[in-house]
Amino acid sequence: MLVQPEWRESSDEELVRLTLKYPDAFGVIMMRYEPKLLRYVRTISRASKEEAEDILQEAFLKAYRNLNGFDTDQKYSSWMYRIVRNETISWHRKMSARAEGRTDIYSAEDLSHFASKEHIISKLEQDQLHGIVRNVLDTMDKKYRDVLILKYLEDREYKDISFILQKPMGTIATLLNRAKKQFREVAKRCGTDLELL
Amino acid sequence: MNEHEQAFSDAVLLKIKDEHITPKPRWEFLLKDSAIWIAGGASLLVGGLAVSVIINLLTSEDFAIAVARGANPLAMFFASIPYFWILFFVAFLFITRYNLIYTKRGYAYTLPVFAVASIAISGVLGVIFYGIGIGPDIESELTERIPAYVQIAHPRAILWSHPERGMIAGVVVGVDDDHDFILQDFRSTMWTVEADASNTLPVTVPGMRVRCLGDVVGPNEFRAMQILPWKPPAPSFFRYQIPQPRPRPK
């Protein structure tokens, strides 16, 4: 069965149910999440675009195999983020690569979102701010950067971050606090006063 | 949706079809989750048994007897701790915790919360097990059936392997006459035990496990002033009856 036009309007959870009957419905889920997840893989890894696509393909296949294990109390997107993150970590282990992230694949629009007044207190101009935010994120500890990326770049809620990173909510809150503190300290070392809200 | 996303999605769908990849059946996930919860329950049971054995050891007369006979109370306390059970319990805790991360909600609990909850539940189970006599029963069964358990992991056996302190224990392997018998201790040493007629355990039969209090009177000879059953009396608050030793055949 080919992709039905009405499937494009379905929620993720409905698509999961549909996929169990019609595998082609999975195509709609993949198209919905491919850009975001591809960017996420590249942000948390040193993977090239091609490598990131391979990782993502494996992650989608894994998700497909495990569709019956998807907990409908969680968001499908969070489940996908968790699988993609685990797959990226496995890829790093296999490649014995350093799990350093790269923030240069974030567009100016993404960084504007991160560096918006909603998230950051700063007197800098936007363009200048983007560069500094990038540098600061690249310099931070991975565990703190991971949580900041999910919160401010991927716009995930605490509950989702807890599910994706498989850590209790309290631990996520602590990590975020420490991450904000480190963000401020690293920014200060770069000669700028930045405060994450 | 742009062409790139469409091409990516098509490639994955093609792979799914070509390689006949199908979603794993729901029962596999249910089975895995159930196995993890059963393992969790088992770890709590083991924890409960460990606690009941600890209570049993610390409240038994053995501790007081050893101290009265010159043993260092602190050394006795450490010797009384059932390390084997505690290690077993901790190992189960870690295995359960590791597996719980992969259950639907397991990741939401920190290790300290999980450990404190497990210890608390094990504590309650341990008191119940001790109360109904399950702890002492299991300990006695292990003593009977697994010699290695006694030699490696049994604090009571260590406590009662001090002839110089007048404390020996083991299994009766032969009966000489009305009072005397041969005892094989936990180190497989054979003792000829002269029993006083007034000792508290009037009947000894081959195969029975006993504790003897007295003095060494010669090479491998022991004069027992008191003979006690190996299995300690169960707590009275549940009115558990200790099985009586079988009478000696005439």
Side-chain angles (χ1 to χ4, degrees), chain B residues 91-174:
Chain B
F92 258 84
L93 265 186
F94 274 98
I95 292 167
T96 309
R97 164 70 186 158
Y98 177 78
N99 286 317
L100 264 184
I101 291 173
Y102 299 100
T103 60
K104 285 179 180 174
R105 301 273 176 274
Y107 69 90
Y109 304 100
T110 57
L111 183 60
V113 167
F114 175 77
V116 167
S118 298
I119 291 167
I121 295 170
S122 296
V124 172
L125 283 176
V127 171
I128 294 170
F129 289 166
Y130 171 72
I132 59 177
I134 288 178
D137 271 354
I138 286 189
E139 201 194 20
S140 296
E141 282 297 307
L142 287 172
T143 310
E144 294 280 340
R145 294 176 198 280
I146 308 171
Y149 171 75
V150 176
Q151 279 156 15
I152 301 165
H154 203 319
R156 285 187 78 211
I158 297 163
L159 213 65
W160 283 91
S161 297
H162 285 282
E164 79 288 354
R165 212 180 274 155
M167 295 172 76
I168 60 169
V171 63
V172 176
V173 291

Side-chain angles (χ1 to χ4, degrees), chain A residues 89-142:
Chain A
I89 292 168
S90 298
W91 177 81
H92 266 290
R93 283 203 194 109
K94 273 185 223 154
M95 304 292 288
S96 304
R98 289 165 60 217
E100 293 296 320
R102 48 190 292 167
T103 48
D104 55 324
I105 45 97
Y106 275 96
S107 65
E109 190 188 341
D110 294 326
L111 285 165
S112 293
H113 181 61
F114 194 113
S116 66
K117 281 190 178 168
E118 188 189 336
H119 293 149
I120 282 187
I121 301 175
S122 165
K123 290 174 185 166
L124 294 173
E125 292 299 320
Q126 282 297 91
D127 285 352
Q128 209 180 351
L129 190 58
H130 293 171
I132 289 171
V133 166
R134 240 185 218 131
N135 284 342
V136 171
L137 285 175
D138 276 345
T139 316
M140 288 181 72
D141 289 345
K142 188 185 170 299

